Amino acid sequence: MARVLLLWFLLGIPSALFAQGRELPDFTDLAEKQGPTVVNISTTQAREQRASPQVPNIDEDDPLYDFFRRFIPRPPGPGQGPREYESRSLGSGFIISPEGFILTNAHVVDSADEITVRLTDKREFKARVIGADRRTDLALIKIDATGLPTVRLGDPNRLRVGEWVVAIGSPFGFDSTVTAGIVSAKGRSLPQESFVPFIQTDVAINPGNSGGPLFNMRGEVVGINSQIYSRTGGFMGLSFAIPIDVAMDVQGQLRQSGKVSRGRIGVVIQEVSKELAESFGLPKPTGALVNAVEKGGPAEKAGIETGDIILKFGGKAVTSSSELPRIVGGTRPGTKSSIEVWRKGASREVTVTVGELPEDRVASRERRAKPVEQAANRLGFAVADLSAEQKRDLKLGGGVIVGEVRNNRRADVRSGDVIMAVTSKGQTSEVRSAAQFNKLLAQLERNTTLTLHVRRGESNLFVTVKGESEPG
């Protein structure tokens, strides 16, 4: 008996479970029954081949000659121009209809030239994208097949913090990998993710799991594994899943119209702190404080003023500022909704006609900067000047567009981002051209921490990076 207790202690299994005679959960039936509903997704994308290393000038009799000849590609011959190569990526998805509709993450299929779906019975199908929504990172794809096994949908609102959940996916390309953990939190808000109340878990999620399902113990899908928080690039115990009810609403709109319509009212908001609540005479810190109102927008027409605190929207309580974009975004444009606001020590109600949020404008593949032939700068980014057309579309007078992130995988900078300004040691410099930007970086001290002011789609954000790229 003592040996058994010692073994349980060494394994880290709570003694309370042993004392009460409880058994750990058994995931075998769930994995067996739900595994066939999960698919492996691989994509290819044609990219322009950069200058490649050449075979060194060594004698053909040298033992190393054959190695270099086989493993180092030869440069294109005269007049052939740059070659293209295929960039490959992996992800997961799951079947939601017998006719071949599959849900996954938008970033799994973004810019893909070819999408291949592999089932657990080893059959492979070419897939097409029905629609993708970058704001929630969801995509609906379709394969030409019938009679497929489908997932059962659960209610994420019934999830309880601490209950067991299971992920099935293809981390690093290992098909049908099952991992388990618990729900760590619900309704998490993440930076630049305004429309998703994430489910946080400690389920092991790694590259290749993206787009795969998160199951409850009843074998129902309650979420789509989407992101991890990591300082190393690998799993660190913090995983985030998109609730399935959010995903199904998005896929319904994608299937019907190929895009997602969201509401907007035209306000800039911030969190209500304890000190702000006291200054506004609010009994407790709650709601969303309006610090700017768009001129001529729906909120201004409804009578919303700067300094109002929005407590309810459409009858739903707004307990924190992060909840308001999700509530408003989930309201169909044209809907008349009531808003309860706190103004001058008292609550009052106004009615707003919800407007429509413009589609997220992400630089198209044609407008993204092509990979430049020069070496990446100190940040590990290859940048290019904005064209006149891009400046006009983005309404910018300057800035540089990121064509490729080569040697800095930890920085949250992406291809297509526009860098508008750089702040270092309290000094901010506007970015006017690629040459000026790279010269500015070259003048900085090694390992200086920088803040980049970035335009991504319709959003502006600040990204902090080190002034020296990390080995890639």
Side-chain angles (χ1 to χ4, degrees):
M1 183 67 176
R3 291 182 179 178
V4 174
L5 286 172
L6 177 61
L7 178 61
W8 279 57
F9 174 76
L10 292 175
L11 290 174
I13 298 173
S15 58
L17 289 177
F18 181 80
Q20 297 173 20
R22 295 180 183 174
E23 294 182 358
L24 289 173
D26 184 350
F27 307 111
T28 55
D29 286 343
L30 189 155
E32 182 178 346
K33 293 177 181 177
Q34 302 305 321
T37 67
V38 184
V39 303
N40 172 282
I41 298 174
S42 60
T43 66
T44 59
Q45 177 183 357
R47 293 186 178 183
E48 189 174 292
Q49 175 72 56
R50 298 195 303 270
S52 59
Q54 299 184 23
V55 176
N57 187 22
I58 59 178
D59 193 274
E60 293 187 13
D61 295 330
D62 192 300
L64 291 176
Y65 178 82
D66 188 57
F67 169 83
F68 284 112
R69 182 182 63 81
R70 292 173 59 194
F71 294 104
I72 296 183
R74 293 182 178 274
Q80 292 182 16
R83 297 185 300 178
E84 287 197 342
Y85 70 99
E86 286 189 343
S87 172
R88 298 178 180 272
S89 62
L90 293 171
S92 304
F94 55 95
I95 306 166
I96 60 173
S97 81
E99 295 76 32
F101 284 98
I102 295 169
L103 267 179
T104 185
N105 283 144
H107 74 259
V108 170
V109 298
D110 185 36
S111 301
D113 293 309
E114 185 176 85
I115 304 170
T116 302
V117 170
R118 185 169 67 249
L119 309 183
T120 55
D121 61 9
K122 307 304 180 184
R123 286 186 294 166
E124 292 189 355
F125 299 86
K126 298 303 179 186
R128 65 183 187 276
V129 177
I130 302 300
D133 179 52
R134 290 183 175 88
R135 285 192 170 105
T136 53
D137 193 21
L138 290 165
L140 181 68
I141 64 176
K142 175 78 166 59
I143 60 175
D144 292 328
T146 57
L148 298 176
T150 61
V151 296
R152 292 187 295 120
L153 304 180
D155 183 0
N157 298 307
R158 294 178 57 193
L159 278 178
R160 300 176 63 191
V161 173
E163 75 170 89
W164 286 94
V165 282
V166 175
I168 303 180
S170 303
F172 303 107
F174 294 103
D175 294 7
S176 304
T177 296
V178 180
T179 52
I182 62 169
V183 176
S184 303
K186 296 172 60 179
R188 286 293 196 210
S189 296
L190 301 180
Q192 284 76 56
E193 302 285 355
S194 302
F195 299 101
V196 179
F198 286 96
I199 303 166
Q200 180 185 329
T201 76
D202 66 353
V203 178
I205 300 297
N206 284 289
N209 273 116
S210 292
L214 183 72
F215 293 97
N216 61 22
M217 289 301 292
R218 292 182 291 277
E220 301 166 335
V221 175
V222 290
I224 300 178
N225 299 308
S226 177
Q227 300 187 36
I228 62 172
Y229 175 85
S230 175
R231 293 180 176 176
T232 64
F235 174 68
M236 293 184 68
L238 292 169
S239 306
F240 299 92
I242 303 165
I244 193 62
D245 55 348
V246 173
M248 293 306 291
D249 176 68
V250 168
Q251 74 85 28
Q253 294 191 58
L254 291 176
R255 191 185 301 199
Q256 183 176 7
S257 61
K259 67 174 187 175
V260 178
S261 296
R262 291 189 174 88
R264 65 181 295 272
I265 58 174
V267 293
V268 178
I269 57 175
Q270 70 181 73
E271 192 69 16
V272 179
S273 65
K274 180 181 178 182
E275 293 74 19
L276 285 170
E278 290 176 355
S279 68
F280 283 100
L282 195 62
K284 61 179 181 179
T286 187
L289 174 61
V290 177
N291 57 34
V293 180
E294 176 188 318
K295 187 174 182 180
E300 185 187 59
K301 293 177 180 178
I304 300 292
E305 301 175 1
T306 299
D308 285 352
I309 297 176
I310 298 177
L311 303 176
K312 289 184 179 181
F313 186 92
K316 298 178 181 178
V318 179
T319 58
S320 68
S321 62
S322 62
E323 293 179 347
L324 185 63
R326 294 199 291 263
I327 297 173
V328 176
T331 305
R332 293 289 183 265
T335 303
K336 292 186 181 295
S337 297
S338 62
I339 303 179
E340 182 183 336
V341 301
W342 182 266
R343 182 187 300 168
K344 297 179 180 179
S347 64
R348 63 181 65 192
E349 191 170 294
V350 298
T351 300
V352 63
T353 300
V354 178
E356 183 169 6
L357 188 68
E359 287 191 62
D360 193 6
R361 288 191 304 178
V362 178
S364 67
R365 294 179 61 191
E366 291 74 18
R367 293 186 181 180
R368 288 182 182 176
K370 294 182 179 180
V372 295
E373 295 301 324
Q374 64 189 39
N377 57 35
R378 287 180 59 180
L379 298 182
F381 311 146
V383 299
D385 293 333
L386 289 172
S387 67
E389 183 183 10
Q390 288 169 330
K391 289 180 180 179
R392 183 175 63 252
D393 289 346
L394 297 170
K395 298 179 181 179
L396 293 176
V400 295
I401 189 166
V402 178
E404 189 173 5
V405 180
R406 295 183 185 171
N407 303 316
N408 202 332
R409 291 172 293 182
R410 296 186 186 178
D412 184 23
V413 175
R414 308 173 189 175
S415 175
D417 284 354
V418 176
I419 300 174
M420 300 181 291
V422 180
T423 299
S424 176
K425 296 182 178 179
Q427 300 296 317
T428 299
S429 302
E430 292 187 359
V431 175
R432 298 184 297 275
S433 68
Q436 176 253 352
F437 176 61
N438 290 335
K439 182 179 179 181
L440 179 65
L441 296 180
Q443 296 171 348
L444 297 173
E445 296 178 6
R446 184 182 179 87
N447 291 327
T448 300
T449 299
L450 310 174
T451 297
L452 306 179
H453 192 191
V454 172
R455 167 74 68 83
R456 180 176 298 162
E458 292 291 324
S459 303
N460 294 334
L461 62 149
F462 292 94
V463 178
T464 301
V465 298
K466 287 284 187 182
E468 194 76 27
S469 65
E470 300 181 17

